[in-house]
Amino acid sequence: MTAIKESSTIQENKQYALDTCPVTYVMEKIGGYWKPIIIHHLSIGTMRYSELKRTIPAITEKMLIQHLKQLEADGIVIREAKPVVPPFVTYKLSNSGKGLLPVIEAMAVWAFKEKDGVFSTEN
């Protein structure tokens, strides 16, 4: 794998966008297909890995694990592991993750309106 130069123009431009554009910042944290879906499902409360996998059957185990790790690293999800056999691991939204719930809700409202054709007439 090629190392990324920290002083490259691309990295400087990306950092500038993250610093100046709030949408870029949010998309860096929750962008992609699965992260908003995971956040949506965790909005109902704490869930075990197997419960999350069951509620999102289309996601592969690799993708679920990868995105949960990223969300945890970004401080959006809290992972709690209890030292028992078998391991008991739960996931829940952090305060930062809970702060995203109005964004996720707005996406859901828009989706229902779009599906119902509310926006189909152009002005």
Side-chain angles (χ1 to χ4, degrees):
M1 179 180 269
T2 306
I4 298 174
K5 281 183 12 184
E6 300 225 1
S7 62
S8 72
T9 303
I10 293 171
Q11 291 303 311
E12 288 175 12
N13 289 342
K14 183 175 180 179
Q15 189 58 51
Y16 176 78
L18 288 170
D19 292 342
T20 60
C21 177
V23 175
T24 301
Y25 182 82
V26 171
M27 292 308 295
E28 181 72 17
K29 299 291 182 185
I30 67 164
Y33 184 82
W34 295 111
K35 287 181 184 178
I37 296 169
I38 293 168
I39 293 167
H40 170 73
H41 286 289
L42 287 175
S43 70
I44 63 170
T46 302
M47 297 179 87
R48 293 186 69 175
Y49 174 85
S50 59
E51 293 172 312
L52 267 173
K53 180 69 178 106
R54 220 178 1 262
T55 61
I56 315 170
I59 193 170
T60 64
E61 288 194 28
K62 177 185 175 190
M63 291 306 292
L64 182 55
I65 291 167
Q66 180 181 331
H67 287 306
L68 284 169
K69 284 182 180 181
Q70 290 171 358
L71 288 166
E72 182 185 10
D74 286 336
I76 294 169
V77 167
I78 297 171
R79 178 184 187 270
E80 293 179 337
K82 296 182 175 74
V84 295
V85 177
F88 189 87
V89 178
T90 58
Y91 295 90
K92 66 180 181 180
L93 293 177
S94 66
N95 288 336
S96 178
K98 290 175 186 173
L100 285 166
L101 293 181
V103 175
I104 301 299
E105 177 66 22
M107 291 169 62
V109 168
W110 178 87
F112 286 124
K113 287 181 179 179
E114 177 69 15
K115 284 179 165 183
D116 291 342
V118 172
F119 306 117
S120 63
T121 56
E122 295 294 322
N123 292 332

